[in-house]
Each structure stands twice: as C-alpha cells, then as structure tokens.
Amino acid sequence: MPDYHDDLRLAHVLADTADATTMERFKALDLKVETKPDMTPVSEADKAAEELIRTSLQRARPRDAVLGEEFGSEGSGPRRWVVDPIDGTKNYVRGVPVWATLIALMERGEGGDRPVVGVVSAPALGRRWWAAEGLGAYTGRSLSSASRLAVSRVSNLSDASFAYSSLSGWEERGRLDGFLDLTRACWRTRGYGDFWPYMMVAEGSVDMCAEPELSLWDMAANAVIVQEAGGRFTGLDGVPGPNSGDAAASNGLLHGVMLDYLRT
C-alpha cells in the first residue's frame, strides 16, 4: 500500500497557509464579495487562499494536477489535488464561523479516481479533521496532537440523527417527499450544512447526512475522512466515492435504508 504520510503533512501545511489568509479577512468590513455566474458568492479570501495553495503545490508537487473551485483545472496525470478554499462562503461573508478549507489528493486507479488524503480545516471553529488511505481519520490541533475518529454504531433509524443543508435542493430535484419521510422516521434532524455534517458522521455525533447537488471539491476531502473513520460515503446512486454529483454519508449501518428514502 502506498505511503501517504508526506502528502498528508503537505496538506496540513497548505491548510495552515489557507487558515492564515481566510482568518485575516473573516468579518472584515471591507471584504470584497462578487457573484459568480451560478449565482453563488465568492470573496477575495476564497481567491487568495486558492492562489496560495496552488503556488505551494507548484513548488512542492510540480507534477501533480490541481482542481480548485475558483480557478478550475490545471495539469494532468494520475495524481490530482482538489481544493475548495472556503466551503461555506455564504456563512463566511455573513460572519458565521461554520466554513472550512477542504484539501484532498485523488489518485487514479482501476476503479477511477479516488480520494486518498483529505484535510478539512475550520479555523473559526478551532477545528481540523484529516485522513489518509490506510492510516485512519483524526481530529485535533496537529498531527502530533490528535484523536482518532470512529463512526457511531446506531443501527435503528428511529434512534438516528440525520443532518442536511437545506430543503430547496431536494424540492428542485423532485425528491422532497422521500427526504421528508426520512426526517420523520429519524430520531433527530438538524440543518448544519456544508462540510460539518460529514465531519460529525466521522466523529460519531451524527449518524447520516446527504446533499442532492455537489461538486467534486465539496466532497473529496469529506469522503476519505468518513471512509477512514469506518463509515460509508457514496452518491445517492449508491456508487462509492465523491464522483456522483451528490452525496450520502453514514455510519454504514444505516446507509441502505437512507438511500431507499432519498431515491424516491
């Protein structure tokens, strides 16, 4: 099995660089915000953080490709870094501390590209999560000061906590009825949104989460962290990994029944 220790250490360095940039502009009164063609916001901090990550990768991993939310795809080859400089930009621009930089390394294999390293850094929350294939998933302040993550063992839907981002996406895709039926069958539902529900699945504090429309940079880092914590990460079609354009994550025990509801 490949050794991803060096790549994981690099991902932490990249996250440190991004954290310094994003925190410097968080809640700044003169923060510049634009609207992209898809009608989502982008701030100057999004662009600055991604540019710094790309520059660092050019020096440290010049042969690797890069895909980022703000500046697209660059390079080619079997290894590709996937970056979301600020996941939760709408929170960021309103001063809500629930946002994070997502950094993943994906490798090409027989079954297609899969995430093998992931770091999710939420500096305004004072939290960071990370994982590498075969090395487990962790949370803490640094590689040397960390706790290992493990998903929950809840196996009954009536005892389960389910997290989501919003209702509108499910309604737009004609899946609201199944979504609402799932929320009624669960013990508890909360709309935490963005990266956070996936990290809580990995920690075992939430049992399931799902979103109906996502990009690869929204999912790659989350996927490897959930999987290395012992959970399952698939599309709503049940295909493992972050390549389906939507996502469902769970402790594994509840995955099938969750998908049964969300497919209707």
Side-chain angles (χ1 to χ4, degrees):
M1 178 176 289
D3 185 343
Y4 295 109
H5 282 95
D6 286 346
D7 293 311
L8 184 57
R9 281 191 285 268
L10 174 59
H12 275 276
V13 172
L14 299 174
D16 290 342
T17 300
D19 287 354
T21 300
T22 54
M23 284 301 292
E24 183 180 6
R25 300 300 292 154
F26 184 49
K27 295 187 178 181
L29 296 179
D30 60 343
L31 180 72
K32 295 178 182 177
V33 182
E34 303 170 3
T35 300
K36 294 190 287 188
D38 63 0
M39 301 308 294
T40 60
V42 56
S43 73
E44 62 183 87
D46 290 80
K47 294 180 177 180
E50 185 171 322
E51 285 176 334
L52 285 170
I53 290 171
R54 284 175 177 269
T55 299
S56 297
L57 285 171
Q58 255 183 354
R59 290 196 300 264
R61 296 289 190 275
R63 296 183 180 179
D64 293 352
V66 182
L67 171 66
E69 179 176 11
E70 306 309 335
F71 298 107
S73 184
E74 182 179 1
S76 61
R79 289 166 48 99
R80 178 170 60 162
W81 294 86
V82 180
V83 178
D84 189 343
I86 299 179
D87 183 52
T89 298
K90 292 177 183 177
N91 283 344
Y92 183 88
V93 301
R94 290 296 302 269
V96 178
V98 184
W99 49 271
T101 295
L102 278 53
I103 301 169
L105 172 63
M106 299 189 71
E107 275 197 351
R108 191 167 303 150
E110 292 182 3
D113 291 355
R114 73 189 192 285
V116 294
V117 170
V119 171
V120 172
S121 190
L125 294 176
R127 299 293 311 276
R128 184 177 290 187
W129 303 261
W130 63 88
E133 187 176 84
L135 300 179
Y138 296 85
T139 185
R141 294 191 176 274
S142 67
L143 283 165
S144 60
S145 177
S147 302
R148 188 153 188 169
L149 300 176
V151 297
S152 74
R153 302 303 299 167
V154 173
S155 58
N156 294 319
L157 197 58
S158 59
D159 299 324
S161 178
F162 172 61
Y164 61 95
S165 286
S166 69
L167 298 179
S168 58
W170 299 99
E171 185 173 25
E172 289 166 4
R173 286 153 191 83
R175 291 182 167 182
L176 184 59
D177 289 345
F179 172 85
L180 292 175
D181 286 343
L182 175 60
T183 64
R184 296 182 186 110
C186 293
W187 166 63
R188 191 169 188 259
T189 59
R190 287 293 183 271
Y192 298 109
D194 299 308
F195 69 94
W196 207 5
Y198 301 96
M199 299 303 97
M200 287 191 279
V201 167
E203 291 178 336
S205 53
V206 164
D207 308 302
M208 307 176 295
C209 65
E211 291 180 90
E213 183 182 20
L214 292 166
S215 297
L216 183 59
W217 48 74
D218 298 313
M219 298 182 282
N222 295 337
V224 65
I225 293 171
V226 169
Q227 290 165 351
E228 285 294 316
R232 285 187 66 190
F233 190 106
T234 73
L236 298 177
D237 53 10
V239 175
N243 299 301
S244 296
D246 45 42
S250 77
N251 63 6
L253 300 173
L254 297 161
H255 209 80
V257 66
M258 172 175 59
L259 291 181
D260 287 343
Y261 275 97
L262 297 177
R263 284 170 175 155
T264 58

